[in-house]
Amino acid sequence: MAKAKTYYFCQECGYQSSSWLGRCPECGKFGTFAEEVVKAAPIAGTRRASSAGVSTPKRIQEVTYSETKRIPTHCGEFDRVLGGGIVPGSLLLLGGEPGIGKSTLLLQTALAIHDRKLLYVSGEESEQQIKMRADRIGINTEQCYVVSETVTQRIFEHVDAVQPDILVVDSIQTISTEDIDSPAGSVSQIRQCTTEFQHYAKTTGVPVLLIGHITKDGSLAGPKVMEHIVDAVLQFEGDRNYGYRILRALKNRFGSTSEIGIFEMQGSGLREVSNPSEFLLSQRDETLSGAAVAATLEGARPMFIEVQSLVSSAVYGTPQRNANGFDMRRLSMLLAVLEKRCGFKLGAKDVFLNIAGGIRVNDPAIDLAVACAILSSNVDIPISPRIAFAAELGLSGEVRPVTRVEQRVAEADRLGFEKIFVSKYNLRELDSKRYHMEIIAVSVIEEAFRALFA
């Protein structure tokens, strides 16, 4: 019988120690070590690897490769994030908050793949609960098998019986292996189970999709080493007060990490959103001050968002600064630029900023829209909703160019905007004759203000 040993694992990064430590030497966090009893796997069945499978060094010119044929999921937004489909033999990890729709997304994707045999393993729900969700989604297929199991040894017995083309595990925190004597969800269990699924995916060529929980600070639960093992880390996020969901790729060995997929949560499942601007632009009958439309990019997809601002006199003496969906430090920088370079006295006023739709934007191309929305609320003069902005602001008040301005302008023209403000240094990349809208080029922020509020 294998001898059980006690180790201490860092709950943040998975660092292993034989004794308790107050501070993790790997990640530097304090008070993160937890005691776990680990039972080593039996040595009796092990054997040395055959020398026939050992690779030999080659010159890089001698290495040949061919494009891997991906497995389409028949979900355009999911395929977009993955880079065209699921790569055979890959290990994918999908994370998100509880109740955000992770299980619905993967089950709906599994039911939509009619030409592949799929095994859906659930450690959280019974087979009846999975069936109820499948009936609500309304997609019928005979190629999807479901089983409720939490032990990897029995899971691989089901895999040998079904011989699936795709394996889905929901969720990795509920799965355990008999080789380790520690509770499910512990660092050692998560790491060992993820390694077993990786070995299965690489040796058989069957892709494995794992669902993972997230911690209170929004990161994936479990050791960071799990994120290094998998080939792709997907994040499913959204605000529960809104119906849309965003799928992001935080890591992707087979594609870009700058693409996103947008879905709308409905009673019958998730609906793909091909035009995200319809959700991110608010529909209003009256033109009010403090709102400006910005052209942002998520990957190769242009999106138009509404920046809302409210500027009022500070009642309690100390001005308040609050931003939802925008970097607070960048807002402070833009306010300093407006006061220093443009002469607007905002130091004694409360400034509130909100990105409509509840999303978070890090694209610096919305700087000009933020500045114009703040000024619009300050002087109480509305900006036409048919005007868009795509420019970055510098510390000296200059309007800086942005990347992929052609895509932003083309999308604005397609959506029916009448004007768009860009940096004059982007003009050489644009052919104004191709568009039915007016392109206004500015070099400093004062020119934009004069064109809007003259």
Side-chain angles (χ1 to χ4, degrees):
M1 182 176 178
K3 184 179 179 181
K5 295 183 179 180
T6 300
Y7 293 99
Y8 295 86
F9 291 92
C10 175
Q11 302 301 306
E12 291 289 336
C13 65
Y15 182 82
Q16 177 180 331
S17 173
S18 59
S19 60
W20 186 87
L21 300 175
R23 181 178 183 270
C24 177
E26 184 72 21
C27 64
K29 298 294 182 65
F30 288 89
T32 58
F33 277 87
E35 180 182 4
E36 294 182 14
V37 179
V38 180
K39 183 177 66 176
I43 307 177
T46 59
R47 59 186 177 90
R48 296 186 62 182
S50 174
S51 59
V54 178
S55 60
T56 57
K58 298 179 181 178
R59 295 188 181 92
I60 192 170
Q61 293 83 0
E62 299 175 356
V63 178
T64 59
Y65 68 95
S66 59
E67 289 293 334
T68 304
K69 188 176 181 180
R70 298 174 181 258
I71 302 174
T73 64
H74 306 290
C75 176
E77 297 297 305
F78 198 77
D79 287 341
R80 175 197 294 270
V81 176
L82 293 178
I86 301 175
V87 176
S90 61
L91 183 63
L92 281 68
L93 176 63
L94 174 65
E97 295 180 357
I100 204 68
K102 305 182 298 296
S103 301
T104 301
L105 174 63
L106 287 191
L107 181 59
Q108 182 172 327
T109 303
L111 296 175
I113 304 177
H114 299 282
D115 53 346
R116 303 277 179 170
K117 187 185 297 184
L118 189 141
L119 177 60
Y120 189 98
V121 179
S122 177
E124 299 180 342
E125 298 177 311
S126 64
E127 299 170 3
Q128 291 77 15
Q129 290 175 305
I130 300 174
K131 173 61 176 176
M132 291 172 58
R133 181 183 289 114
D135 291 340
R136 188 176 73 247
I137 294 174
I139 303 177
N140 296 320
T141 179
E142 297 180 355
Q143 297 295 318
C144 183
Y145 296 79
V146 296
V147 64
S148 181
E149 189 56 72
T150 58
V151 181
T152 58
Q153 283 73 14
R154 290 194 286 272
I155 290 176
F156 288 119
E157 291 178 2
H158 297 308
V159 168
D160 293 336
V162 177
Q163 294 294 317
D165 298 317
I166 301 175
L167 176 62
V168 178
V169 180
D170 181 13
S171 66
I172 189 62
Q173 278 81 11
T174 62
I175 306 300
S176 61
T177 176
E178 295 177 347
D179 295 337
I180 297 179
D181 189 14
S182 58
S186 60
V187 172
S188 54
Q189 282 285 5
I190 293 176
R191 180 168 49 189
Q192 180 64 25
C193 293
T194 305
T195 304
E196 291 184 12
F197 286 120
Q198 181 202 35
H199 181 264
Y200 167 74
K202 301 305 179 184
T203 55
T204 62
V206 175
V208 180
L209 282 68
L210 306 176
I211 293 179
H213 298 162
I214 65 171
T215 58
K216 290 184 292 185
D217 60 353
S219 59
L220 283 164
K224 286 295 181 182
V225 68
M226 181 177 63
E227 299 182 25
H228 295 295
I229 294 174
V230 300
D231 297 311
V233 179
L234 307 180
Q235 184 85 3
F236 202 44
E237 58 190 35
D239 195 326
R240 294 192 179 188
N241 298 322
Y242 298 90
Y244 69 87
R245 302 288 187 267
I246 297 179
L247 181 66
R248 301 180 186 271
L250 305 182
K251 170 188 175 181
N252 191 357
R253 288 175 177 165
F254 308 108
S256 173
T257 57
S258 58
E259 293 289 353
I260 68 167
I262 301 180
F263 301 86
E264 180 190 7
M265 178 62 77
Q266 298 179 338
S268 58
L270 293 164
R271 182 183 74 88
E272 299 179 55
V273 178
S274 58
N275 181 20
S277 299
E278 65 178 285
F279 284 94
L280 303 179
L281 291 179
S282 63
Q283 308 297 326
R284 57 181 190 269
D285 298 328
E286 299 180 0
T287 303
L288 303 176
S289 62
V293 178
T296 182
L297 274 180
E298 285 286 353
R301 168 182 290 189
M303 296 193 307
F304 283 75
I305 60 174
E306 183 175 284
V307 180
Q308 300 173 343
S309 176
L310 177 63
V311 179
S312 61
S313 299
V315 179
Y316 302 104
T318 302
Q320 299 183 60
R321 302 286 189 264
N322 192 9
N324 294 325
F326 190 73
D327 187 9
M328 188 64 198
R329 291 173 296 182
R330 194 164 188 87
L331 174 61
S332 301
M333 183 199 75
L334 294 177
L335 293 176
V337 170
L338 292 178
E339 186 156 351
K340 176 71 175 180
R341 304 297 181 185
C342 305
F344 299 109
K345 304 302 180 181
L346 301 173
K349 295 187 177 181
D350 296 334
V351 179
F352 303 94
L353 190 72
N354 178 54
I355 305 298
I359 69 169
R360 183 167 187 84
V361 181
N362 297 317
D363 188 1
I366 73 171
D367 285 354
L368 185 57
V370 171
C372 292
I374 293 173
L375 180 61
S376 171
S377 177
N378 185 44
V379 299
D380 201 18
I381 299 177
I383 299 175
S384 172
R386 311 313 303 168
I387 298 178
F389 302 87
E392 179 185 355
L393 292 184
L395 292 180
S396 60
E398 78 276 14
V399 180
R400 299 175 57 84
V402 296
T403 60
R404 298 182 180 178
V405 68
E406 290 185 11
Q407 293 177 262
R408 305 174 196 261
V409 175
E411 182 70 7
D413 189 39
R414 187 183 70 83
L415 293 177
F417 283 89
E418 298 173 357
K419 299 178 182 179
I420 185 169
F421 282 76
V422 299
S423 172
K424 75 172 186 179
Y425 304 106
N426 278 131
L427 275 183
R428 58 177 177 269
E429 306 175 29
L430 296 171
D431 183 8
S432 58
K433 298 180 180 179
R434 296 173 50 190
Y435 310 106
H436 301 87
M437 60 186 301
E438 181 182 358
I439 300 176
I440 302 177
V442 293
S443 59
V444 291
I445 193 171
E446 292 90 339
E447 295 181 11
F449 293 160
R450 284 196 296 267
L452 286 172
F453 308 111

